Amino acid sequence: MIGKVISNKILYALLLFFVLAALPFFVSMFQVSLFAKFMCFAIVAIGLDLIWGYTGILSLGHGVFFGLGGYCIAMYLKMDSANGGLPDFMTWSGVTHLPLFWKPFGNPIFAILMVMILPAALALVIGSLTFINRIRGVYFTILSQALALIISTLLIGSQKYTGGSNGMTGFTKLLNFSLSNPWVQISMYYITLVTLIVIFFICWILVHGRIGKTLIAIRDGENRLRFLGYNTSVFKAFVYALSAVITGIAGALYVIQVGIISPTEVGIMSSIEMIIWVAIGGKGTLIGAMFGAIFVNGFKSVISNQFPDLWSYFIGVLFIIVILWLPKGFISFHEIPIRIMKFVNRNKEEI
């Protein structure tokens, strides 16, 4: 039975990847860019599902890692687009020389490495300090939320170094290729898709191996596992760092696709939205988290066009419906007939 469920979920994933691969042949360039952005969010959802769905650690600060990855690649894109000059927001702020910490980001290899290293380093520092001191549950959630608030405030206050509340935008090229070229956009779409597929299967192998079983054991009974001699802090710090790296990669791809990064993507609301994607899709499944991110953002895009002032209410109603009728997320849609029958039978018994 378990093997059948696992095989079904793999089939769902393969079907989703096939649809995404075929999409550019049937939709406009605008929709291609839109789904490329959704795939970046799906990568975030996978990383968040690792730490929340499988390890039971609710993080409301994953926007920080998304932003770190985004700002790292944005610094390279901004310098590349400036053709040796200063970024425009520095000029407006009266800066006359490129800050020292900006200079290494002129190298694309360094920028790509920082996309992964900075989120991992921050996650290891935060994770080590909190998990060793056995800070968990709602206390860790509040701490991660505070981290998002602190980092977004710092970005807003550092106008001459980060672009302030406006963030960074105006990117024109990547490795001497014009970002407005349709072939470059298509190429980035498929690079994002390949990244999504690779990350999904790496995480799939991880969670269905010994490490995955340990993570689930931490989620279901950390104290018991600690009494058996496991150092749960190491496992939690590891999965937190891995989740941060995955989220940082998603942030970098997002910036290239969308062309902007700002403190909004780093803040608390952004991090809460990420949680909603995973919850609606189905936490602890990977495929459900991916589907949730794509579906919720697609739904948001459609609704916001029709009801620009009310779209958040629709997302809230959708979230409530899923929690009440599909607590395991959309990935458990096959359970709907069973739940309906139970509801009908219960009403008959009451009558």
Side-chain angles (χ1 to χ4, degrees):
M1 182 65 182
I2 295 175
K4 184 179 179 181
V5 172
I6 291 175
S7 62
N8 284 342
K9 288 179 180 178
I10 283 290
L11 287 176
Y12 295 154
L14 292 176
L15 179 62
L16 177 61
F17 295 145
F18 176 78
V19 170
L20 291 173
L23 208 61
F25 296 99
F26 303 100
V27 299
S28 66
M29 283 305 301
F30 171 76
Q31 290 171 317
V32 167
S33 299
L34 202 60
F35 274 91
K37 182 176 72 171
F38 295 165
M39 285 193 292
C40 295
F41 293 150
I43 295 173
V44 173
I46 291 174
L48 189 56
D49 197 26
L50 273 182
I51 188 170
W52 183 35
Y54 285 93
T55 319
I57 303 170
L58 178 58
S59 170
L60 288 181
H62 257 52
V64 170
F65 307 123
F66 186 82
L68 281 176
Y71 270 95
C72 283
I73 205 69
M75 290 168 74
Y76 161 71
L77 293 173
K78 199 65 179 173
M79 293 176 68
D80 195 32
S81 301
N83 295 317
L86 286 175
D88 48 15
F89 62 84
M90 288 188 184
T91 304
W92 300 335
S93 300
V95 177
T96 56
H97 296 87
L98 190 69
L100 187 62
F101 72 92
W102 262 76
K103 292 182 179 180
F105 287 92
N107 185 316
I109 296 176
F110 179 85
I112 292 171
L113 288 175
M114 288 299 104
V115 164
M116 296 177 283
I117 291 173
L118 285 183
L122 180 60
L124 282 174
V125 171
I126 298 296
S128 298
L129 293 175
T130 54
F131 300 142
I132 289 176
N133 289 292
R134 300 187 183 181
I135 297 174
R136 57 182 180 177
V138 67
Y139 302 105
F140 179 83
T141 302
I142 294 173
L143 190 149
S144 64
Q145 194 173 37
L147 179 65
L149 180 61
I150 291 169
I151 298 297
S152 61
T153 303
L154 286 174
L155 290 171
I156 293 172
S158 304
Q159 167 71 39
K160 59 183 179 180
Y161 300 126
T162 64
S165 57
N166 295 320
M168 298 186 198
T169 187
F171 315 127
T172 58
K173 58 182 180 176
L174 171 66
L175 300 174
N176 293 322
F177 292 100
S178 173
L179 289 173
S180 61
N181 188 318
W183 287 108
V184 173
Q185 294 175 5
I186 291 291
S187 298
M188 284 308 307
Y189 176 91
Y190 281 109
I191 288 172
T192 305
L193 176 58
V194 170
T195 305
L196 173 63
I197 294 171
V198 170
I199 288 175
F200 171 79
F201 280 107
I202 288 175
C203 293
W204 180 269
I205 293 170
L206 180 71
V207 299
H208 288 91
R210 293 181 63 183
I211 293 178
K213 292 177 181 178
T214 305
L215 297 180
I216 294 172
I218 291 173
R219 179 193 68 190
D220 296 340
E222 184 179 355
N223 289 333
R224 293 181 182 179
L225 200 63
R226 188 182 293 114
F227 292 150
L228 290 173
Y230 284 84
N231 188 345
T232 58
S233 300
V234 172
F235 286 95
K236 290 163 74 175
F238 162 75
V239 74
Y240 189 42
L242 177 59
S243 177
V245 170
I246 292 171
T247 307
I249 292 171
L253 290 170
Y254 171 86
V255 169
I256 298 172
Q257 306 283 359
V258 179
I260 186 172
I261 185 69
S262 71
T264 304
E265 279 78 34
V266 182
I268 295 172
M269 290 306 299
S270 176
S271 299
I272 292 175
E273 277 194 59
M274 295 173 184
I275 292 293
I276 291 175
W277 305 338
V278 178
I280 288 179
K283 66 187 181 80
T285 60
L286 295 184
I287 175 60
M290 272 198 309
F291 176 79
I294 294 173
F295 175 79
V296 172
N297 283 284
F299 180 73
K300 174 182 173 181
S301 179
V302 172
I303 293 298
S304 60
N305 285 335
Q306 301 297 323
F307 308 97
D309 297 326
L310 301 174
W311 66 266
S312 58
Y313 293 99
F314 284 93
I315 298 293
V317 170
L318 177 64
F319 183 69
I320 292 171
I321 291 172
V322 170
I323 295 300
L324 291 177
W325 286 93
L326 288 171
K328 295 179 182 179
F330 275 154
I331 196 65
S332 61
F333 67 92
H334 58 277
E335 296 180 5
I336 292 179
I338 299 173
R339 290 183 176 276
I340 292 175
M341 288 302 298
K342 286 182 178 180
F343 180 76
V344 172
N345 292 333
R346 186 173 60 196
N347 286 344
K348 286 182 178 179
E349 289 175 1
E350 291 177 356
I351 293 173

